[in-house]
């Protein structure tokens, strides 16, 4: 192969010394060699121009839409008339390969895209998040406006949470207490003492602890067993203790738990207060809401407003009370063996079949000269390590998964904590009251059953999906229920009532605001609700089933209506 000669060109030589020759001589020699004008700089630029890269190895010349980088304009001589001889050469000369880099066969594509496309991808992700946030905000606004009162769509509380008792014009309001003042109260009471133990208990059947959604059990009905919800002043034992001056304040665990958990309540309730001499009696009215169980009281999802709807607040309360009574008797060993106590059930007639329940009449010391006696209930007993333990038994009920968002049949076995958290959110007041009653009765264990409808539209037939046991003190700590705060609420209300004159008062929870009001009412405001003063012990008559059970007459009627439906009834 014959080599091609390489023309070095004119090389200036300085015979007089080291370095280049005189500038004028050199310029003349270069001009003659290149036929260029005199005093033309190598590149036309100013001091304000930015110096770019000498060689851009990343430029893609195939992209014709890309705007020219202003930093490279100082070195682009294709349009400069100072170098007319190089125009043709620059059009054909390419120093850098302009082919795009090869795309890899494997791996996510976005990693190997050019850097200029990544900001666009991030912008799309930001826009997508903004759209999702806007949708969520619109959904919350829609639910908010559904619950707000307006002429077209009345608020849920306006239809469901109406006052539990009609406020009469002649009633005189004494006090108005917001719930914000209750949260700061605290009072420590010593351990209570048992004055009397009445009734009989059946043993708990431990096989129910092994029930799960795959091994569910049908909920039975106990129509022959009588359940008593007797108010304070209708209780012959409390009358006897009042005559013996055993205490100053008298109540039941249901009434005390309502007061203790008042800040968690949403629905309206009322408690009648009788000041007789130096004694104070807390009662409930006939047909009071305290005999029923609230459902979804603290939930944000609105319930149907029609009272005849099976998922309305009233219908669910009746259904929950019916489920709770039957469940508390089904989990027992019905072999005839019962644990009996000092006295029989004070509300039952001889030979009458009653539910398994024991009444513990307990006394707490509120002050140096003030004691409180309350009737507390326990529902069952179990032998553990040759030691007797008392239990309270209650049931949570599922009526429609779309309201709670959690399907018990799918989540109860694998995500029991999530199910309980949802119930604590939707039924905070009910669970807190059950826990307070277990603490008042010093129960060693509280059993919670999960009972669901066989079909969401069938509110007559139910199945047991599971039973879980908790220690009351541990469960109270889990739901942030402070015993000192509960007794602080009771102590403040008792002190306030003791400063009032003798007479009858009623404590009403406001249906739309977190507060309670205390009204002074006439002595005949609620008939058959209170005996003016306790009868002497020799004049006390053992109440009949109807008389002793007067406090639950309305609730029992509603529950019996449910029980009398056929087993296979479908809504």
């Amino acid at each position: 192969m014959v080599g091609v000669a390489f023309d070095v060109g004119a090389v200036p030589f300085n015979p007089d010394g080291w370095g280049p020759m005189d500038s004028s001589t050199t310029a003349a020699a270069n001009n003659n060699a290149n036929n260029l004008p005199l005093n033309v700089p190598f590149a036309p630029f100013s001091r304000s121009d930015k110096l770019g890269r000498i060689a851009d190895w990343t430029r893609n010349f195939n992209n014709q839409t890309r705007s020219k980088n202003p930093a490279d304009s100082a070195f682009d001589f294709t349009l400069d008339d100072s170098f007319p001889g190089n125009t043709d050469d620059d059009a054909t000369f390419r120093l850098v390969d302009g082919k795009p880099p090869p795309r890899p066969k494997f791996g996510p594509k976005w990693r190997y895209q050019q850097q200029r496309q990544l900001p666009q991808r991030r912008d799309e992700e930001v826009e997508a998040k903004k759209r999702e946030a806007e949708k969520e905000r619109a959904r919350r606004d829609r639910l908010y406006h559904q619950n707000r009162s307006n002429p077209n769509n009345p608020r849920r509380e306006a239809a469901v949470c109406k006052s539990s008792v009609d406020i009469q014009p002649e009633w005189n309001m004494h006090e108005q207490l917001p719930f914000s003042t209750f949260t700061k109260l605290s009072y420590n009471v010593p351990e209570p003492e048992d004055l009397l133990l009445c009734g009989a208990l059946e043993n708990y059947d431990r096989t129910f602890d092994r029930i799960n959604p795959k091994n569910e059990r049908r909920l039975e009905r106990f129509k022959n067993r009588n359940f008593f919800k007797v108010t304070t002043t209708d209780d012959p034992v409390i009358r006897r203790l009042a005559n013996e001056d055993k205490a100053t304040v008298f109540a039941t665990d249901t009434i005390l738990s309502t007061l203790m958990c008042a800040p968690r309540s949403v629905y309206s309730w009322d408690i009648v207060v009788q000041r007789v001499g130096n004694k104070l009696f807390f009662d409930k009215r006939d047909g009071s809401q305290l005999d029923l169980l609230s459902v979804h009281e603290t939930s944000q999802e609105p319930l149907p407003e029609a009272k005849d709807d099976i998922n309305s607040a009233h219908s669910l309360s009746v259904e929950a009370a019916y489920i709770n009574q039957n469940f508390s008797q089904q989990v027992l060993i019905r072999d005839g063996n019962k644990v009996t106590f000092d006295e029989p059930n004070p509300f039952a007639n001889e030979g009458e079949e009653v539910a398994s329940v024991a009444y513990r009449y307990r006394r707490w010391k509120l002050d140096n000269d003030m004691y409180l006696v309350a009737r507390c209930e326990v529902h069952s007993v179990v032998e553990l390590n040759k030691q007797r333990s008392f239990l309270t038994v209650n049931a949570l009920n599922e009526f429609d998964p779309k309201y709670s968002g959690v399907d018990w049949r799918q989540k109860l076995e694998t995500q029991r904590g999530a199910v309980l958290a949802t119930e604590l959110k939707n039924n905070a007041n009910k669970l807190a009251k059950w826990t307070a009653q277990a603490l008042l009765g010093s129960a060693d264990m509280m059993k919670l059953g999960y009972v669901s409808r066989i079909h969401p539209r069938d509110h007559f037939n139910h199945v047991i999906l599971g039973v879980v046991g908790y220690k009351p003190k541990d469960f109270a700590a889990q739901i942030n229920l402070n015993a000192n705060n509960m007794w602080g609420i009771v102590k403040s209300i008792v002190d306030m009532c003791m400063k009032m004159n003798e007479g009858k008062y009623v404590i009403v929870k406001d249906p739309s605001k977190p507060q309670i009001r205390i009204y002074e009412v006439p002595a005949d405001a609620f008939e058959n609700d209170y005996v003016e003063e306790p009868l002497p012990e020799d004049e006390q008559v053992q109440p009949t089933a109807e008389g002793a059970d007067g406090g639950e007459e309305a609730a029992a009627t509603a529950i019996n209506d449910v029980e009398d439906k056929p087993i296979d009834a479908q809504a």
Side-chain angles (χ1 to χ4, degrees):
M1 180 177 179
V2 180
V4 179
F6 177 71
D7 186 9
V8 178
V11 179
F13 177 69
N14 186 4
D16 298 332
W18 183 86
M21 294 184 295
D22 185 62
S23 60
S24 61
T25 307
T26 306
N30 290 337
N31 292 341
N32 293 333
N34 299 324
N35 295 324
L36 296 176
L38 184 63
N39 297 327
V40 174
F42 176 74
F45 66 94
S46 64
R47 294 179 182 272
S48 61
D49 292 335
K50 295 182 180 180
L51 296 179
R53 296 182 291 273
I54 298 300
D56 190 354
W57 305 96
T58 62
R59 292 180 64 182
N60 185 1
F61 290 92
N62 292 333
N63 188 358
Q64 300 299 331
T65 60
R66 179 182 178 184
S67 61
K68 188 178 294 185
N69 189 354
D72 296 337
S73 61
F75 299 96
D76 191 358
F77 312 129
T78 58
L79 302 178
D80 195 348
D81 296 337
S82 301
F83 300 93
N86 294 341
T87 305
D88 297 337
D89 295 339
D90 290 341
T92 58
F93 178 74
R94 294 290 183 270
L95 180 62
V96 182
D97 185 10
K99 295 181 179 180
R103 298 179 64 181
K105 296 182 180 180
F106 308 102
K109 297 181 181 180
W110 64 270
R111 290 186 182 177
Y112 304 98
Q113 291 179 353
Q114 297 185 14
Q115 185 68 23
R116 63 177 181 274
Q117 296 180 357
L118 290 179
Q120 182 181 3
R121 176 183 176 86
R122 286 195 293 268
D123 292 342
E124 292 177 356
E125 292 178 352
V126 172
E127 291 297 329
K129 290 182 179 180
K130 287 182 178 179
R131 289 193 296 269
E132 292 296 329
E134 190 66 27
K135 290 180 181 179
E136 180 65 19
R137 186 160 47 250
R139 188 188 70 85
R140 289 198 302 266
D141 291 343
R142 187 168 58 253
L143 292 176
Y144 174 75
H145 289 297
Q146 285 179 356
N147 291 334
R148 282 186 62 85
S149 58
N150 56 69
N152 299 327
N153 189 11
R155 190 175 63 170
R156 170 194 170 196
E157 289 81 1
V160 178
C161 296
K162 54 185 179 182
S163 180
S164 60
V165 62
D166 295 332
I167 307 299
Q168 302 299 325
E170 62 270 15
W171 292 4
N172 182 24
M173 187 177 70
H174 271 254
E175 298 289 342
Q176 182 171 307
L177 306 175
F179 287 163
S180 57
T181 61
F182 288 168
T183 58
K184 304 175 184 178
L185 299 176
S186 179
Y187 190 77
N188 185 21
V189 297
E191 288 294 321
E193 57 175 323
D194 286 332
L195 299 180
L196 194 63
L197 203 57
C198 305
L201 292 177
E202 294 178 333
N203 290 281
Y204 175 75
D205 190 354
R206 298 185 189 177
T207 59
F208 280 86
D209 292 336
R210 297 192 293 269
I211 293 180
N212 54 58
K214 297 179 181 178
N215 185 27
E216 61 187 26
R217 191 173 299 186
R218 188 73 173 263
L219 182 67
E220 300 177 10
R221 304 180 180 216
F222 297 86
K223 295 183 179 181
N224 297 327
R225 293 197 172 190
N226 294 326
F227 301 86
F228 303 100
K229 303 290 182 181
V230 183
T231 188
T232 307
T233 49
D234 288 343
D235 189 335
V237 177
I238 287 184
R239 293 183 187 181
R240 188 174 67 200
L241 295 176
N243 284 335
E244 297 173 358
D245 288 331
K246 293 292 185 180
T248 307
V249 186
F250 299 88
T252 65
D253 58 348
T254 303
I255 296 174
L256 286 182
S257 64
T258 302
L259 293 175
M260 290 176 169
C261 305
R264 302 182 185 228
S265 61
V266 175
Y267 295 158
S268 178
W269 46 264
D270 60 274
I271 296 174
V272 179
V273 182
Q274 289 275 358
R275 173 75 190 276
V276 182
N278 65 336
K279 293 182 173 55
L280 206 62
F281 296 87
F282 288 87
D283 281 292
K284 63 179 180 65
R285 296 181 299 106
D286 288 341
S288 172
Q289 286 293 110
L290 301 183
D291 293 330
L292 301 177
L293 299 176
S294 64
V295 179
H296 266 226
E297 180 177 358
T298 56
S299 173
Q300 298 298 324
E301 294 295 331
L303 295 174
E305 298 179 359
K307 192 173 182 179
D308 55 349
D309 193 300
I310 64 172
N311 292 334
S312 66
H314 176 74
S315 300
L316 290 175
S317 296
V318 176
E319 181 183 356
Y322 150 74
I323 290 173
N324 194 67
Q325 289 184 355
N326 289 326
F327 175 78
S328 66
Q329 304 306 303
Q330 185 171 349
V331 296
L332 307 176
I333 301 177
R334 299 183 296 275
D335 56 358
N337 296 326
K338 294 184 178 182
V339 179
T340 58
F341 299 102
D342 304 337
E343 295 185 7
N345 192 313
F347 315 121
N349 293 327
E350 186 177 355
E352 183 181 9
E353 185 177 2
V354 297
S356 171
V357 63
Y359 301 106
R360 304 182 72 174
Y361 293 87
R362 319 190 78 196
R363 183 170 65 177
W364 287 265
K365 184 177 181 180
L366 297 181
D367 208 341
N368 293 333
D369 56 350
M370 184 183 298
Y371 289 86
L372 182 146
V373 167
R375 185 190 71 222
C376 306
E377 296 184 8
V378 289
H379 306 127
S380 181
V381 66
V382 65
E383 294 286 341
L384 293 175
N385 299 327
K386 297 182 179 179
Q387 197 171 16
R388 180 185 298 172
S389 299
F390 292 114
L391 308 179
T392 60
V393 182
N394 299 102
L396 295 166
N397 63 303
E398 180 190 38
F399 57 97
D400 198 336
K402 75 177 182 180
Y403 284 94
S404 61
V406 179
D407 190 348
W408 289 4
R409 286 177 171 81
Q410 297 180 2
K411 304 293 184 180
L412 188 58
E413 191 171 9
T414 58
Q415 300 180 17
R416 182 173 294 172
V419 174
L420 180 60
T422 304
E423 290 301 308
L424 288 173
K425 180 184 69 173
N426 296 334
N427 299 285
N429 186 37
K430 179 169 66 175
L431 284 166
K433 289 170 64 175
W434 286 346
T435 308
Q437 292 175 20
L439 292 174
L440 290 173
S442 293
D444 301 287
M445 186 74 65
M446 50 183 297
K447 293 288 184 178
L448 289 181
Y450 293 88
V451 180
S452 177
R453 293 177 180 174
I454 292 180
H455 188 273
R457 299 303 302 172
D458 180 10
H459 63 295
F460 302 125
N461 304 297
H462 304 81
V463 291
I464 304 173
L465 300 179
V467 181
V468 186
Y470 300 95
K471 292 184 177 180
K473 292 184 178 180
D474 296 342
F475 194 76
Q478 182 177 350
I479 64 176
N480 196 23
L481 191 64
N482 191 329
N484 290 341
N485 175 251
M486 295 190 302
W487 281 110
I489 295 173
V490 173
K491 182 68 165 57
S492 64
I493 294 177
V494 168
D495 291 342
M496 191 176 304
C497 294
M498 292 299 291
K499 296 177 181 178
M500 298 178 182
N501 298 326
E502 292 190 36
K504 181 182 290 187
Y505 303 86
V506 60
I507 302 175
V508 182
K509 193 272 175 185
D510 193 286
S512 58
K513 297 179 182 179
Q515 65 183 10
I516 63 172
R517 295 189 176 98
I518 302 179
Y519 295 91
E520 183 179 4
V521 299
D524 57 348
F526 311 108
E527 296 181 359
N528 300 327
D529 190 64
Y530 178 72
V531 177
E532 274 298 322
E533 54 186 69
L535 296 175
E537 185 175 0
D538 55 350
E539 295 181 11
Q540 291 182 10
V541 180
Q542 188 74 5
T544 61
E546 292 78 4
D549 202 15
E552 64 165 352
E553 181 179 356
T557 303
I559 296 173
N560 290 334
D561 291 341
V562 177
E563 293 180 345
D564 291 339
K565 300 294 182 181
I567 296 293
D568 57 348
Q570 295 289 336

